[in-house]
Amino acid sequence: MAARITCAPKRYLLQFAHEHLDFRLQEVKSVISMLGCGALLKEKEVDNGSPFLEIELPSEKEAKAVMQRTVLGKRLYELWAEGTTVSEVVSKLQKLPDGFIKPYTDENSSFRIVVETFNKKISSADKVRRIEQLLTESTCILKGKINLSVPDNSFHLLEFYKFDSITSPNEPQKVYFGRWVSDGQRDWIREYHLQNRHFIANTSMDACLSMVMANLAQVKENDFVIDPFVGSGSLLVSSAHFGAYVIGTDIDYLLLHAKARPSRAKQKTRSEDESVQSNLRQYGLENKYIDVLVADASLQKMWRDGWKFDAIITDPPYGIRESASKIVRRDLQEEAEDYGAAHYPQKTNYQLGDIFKDLLNFAAKFLCIGGRLVYWLPIYRPDYCESNIPQHPCLEVRFNCEQPLSTTISRRLITMVKVCEHQEVSEPQGASIEVDHYEMLTFRQKYFKATSAAVNNSLQVKVQKT
Amino acid sequence: MKLLTHNMLTSSVIKGVTKGFPLKIVASKVEVREVDYNEPFIIKTLSKVDWPALHQAANEVGYGEDLPIELGEDFQKDETLLRKIHNALLQVDIIEGELVCPESGRKFPISNGIPNMLLSEHEVSS
């Protein structure tokens, strides 16, 4: 929806959570673009380490819509004043137009003032002093009754101090005063926590990043989303949460049928009803579950020509925690086996670079125009350059966010959009990598050496023998 | 496995198979599980669905008598029909059975509602 050109845009302040720093701006930008609201972002402060982002949006309606999606955005305020000192902020408050403040400063309404500081601890006494300064010098503004627990309006004085590892800074970098509008979706992170998930695998994606991925993929109500390396379905949960119907494929028969070794330390065997479907059922999202299939993601011919998905969200195997495999053709003269029995065909090492090329070719063919592919790329940081990012003529890279795992390894979350239709060629081609990051053995050796040396709590590294 | 999924699958990965669609269904256990009716999703999906394949599949599992042979022009306004389509696409679930390649006869087993589309090494065409 285009912004109303008759009204001036409103100024808001978004307070980010302090995690996944590289992803925060991108998630917000993706959500804003998905909602189609015109917005102006003042990114410079965030680049300097501030958790605050000033955004201009057409109205509170759009502001609340953004907060209905973001998990890295913690809180949103309507920005009333900003400056470098509390006094400066207070004097600016005095100059606010009546029409602006009137709806929130009625004598019959209740309010509270909350003081928060970032990168500096101040005493309760100091906080009270600031509140008193606000109340005495802005009486015309803050007129109503004080209610600390359930006020009609919650006003926040926020002070950002620049982080200095040596001394505690005396003066704030920036001071803001705003009216609380909305919280983001961080509560869902607890709701969807893997600790309580019915069915997990070694590589299940944590709830926060799953939701970020769904936001980068711009998953909407009634979309049809696929994860070609679905595992336990952790990425499908967040897409279903945002209203999409979901389907997954995985080459691992035992995992999908919950017959593989359990991932939880104290669990002896998996229970029979563990499945991707039961995960969605756990959260009341079973209506969105379409299917999972045991299948080889590299074989595009399995899918009918002309079928389209709205988004592909996936975390391909890197051959590090789970061995990457695909079925390989052999010119054997053997008799065909009994296909009714469970058959586990010979798998071979799937060259890492090939996984990503196959994925891009699949996306180019089976995404609708404007549809998005969101996937992780494992990186050995000393060797990384932008030419490592796989490319395809039908897909454009929109975002490239790094999650560092140690000083030498990381993974990058790549978001691509399909911009034009796939042209039929005799050989599946199209995807290319300018500079291959995954030269045969060296990448695995470097990555594995780095992870075994690195102290990293969030990843349990298990190298599967092929 | 739902009939919506069946509508997307082919066996043309098999060496020598040219079209491989639609796969025949031989079902030994079929259930109907209630799924919330969502009209916009059904209408959106119908623009991608191969109707004759859906009709054939529904018949093969015993839920085809509700569906017309051809999908007319005005289906978007016909809620009764849309609900029947919803039933066929999303509620009918093949728990045990087989998908059969129409050209080679190769069977893909379905167990616990999950089809196994994996081929042997020598079946995979390049």
Side-chain angles (χ1 to χ4, degrees), chain B residues 108-122:
Chain B
F108 299 95
I110 303 173
S111 66
N112 277 329
I114 302 174
N116 182 348
M117 307 301 293
L118 293 181
L119 298 172
S120 301
E121 305 79 41
H122 58 275

Side-chain angles (χ1 to χ4, degrees), chain A residues 222-224 245 257 287 289-291 294 301-304 308 310 328-330 339 343 345-346, chain B residues 1-2 5 7-8 10 12 21 35-36 38 41 44 48 106 111 114-115 117 119-122 124:
Chain A
N222 300 331
D223 272 355
F224 195 38
Y245 289 80
H257 286 266
N287 276 293
Y289 173 82
I290 300 295
D291 272 307
V294 180
K301 284 193 198 164
M302 186 178 79
W303 303 101
R304 170 166 66 82
K308 296 283 186 252
D310 295 295
V328 140
R329 172 181 167 227
R330 286 222 218 110
Y339 302 113
H343 173 73
Q346 179 85 5
Chain B
M1 190 197 75
K2 302 189 162 97
T5 305
N7 207 267
M8 305 173 222
T10 80
S12 29
F21 179 84
V35 173
D36 286 350
N38 179 347
F41 179 71
K44 182 179 171 188
K48 298 186 283 201
R106 207 280 195 195
S111 66
I114 302 174
M117 307 301 293
L119 298 172
S120 301
E121 305 79 41
H122 58 275
V124 176

Side-chain angles (χ1 to χ4, degrees), chain A residues 355-378:
Chain A
I355 296 184
F356 301 114
K357 283 195 259 185
D358 281 346
L359 185 58
L360 266 65
N361 286 326
F362 176 76
K365 187 161 184 206
F366 293 103
L367 274 177
C368 53
I369 303 268
R372 291 178 170 223
L373 163 66
V374 177
Y375 72 98
W376 287 99
L377 210 54

Side-chain angles (χ1 to χ4, degrees), chain A residues 13 57 85 111 117 127 250 280 282 319 330 413 418 440:
Chain A
L13 188 71
L57 287 162
T85 63
F111 74 98
T117 55
K127 289 191 181 185
D250 203 290
L280 289 168
Q282 179 182 357
R330 286 222 218 110
L413 187 59
K418 179 169 170 179
M440 255 319 284

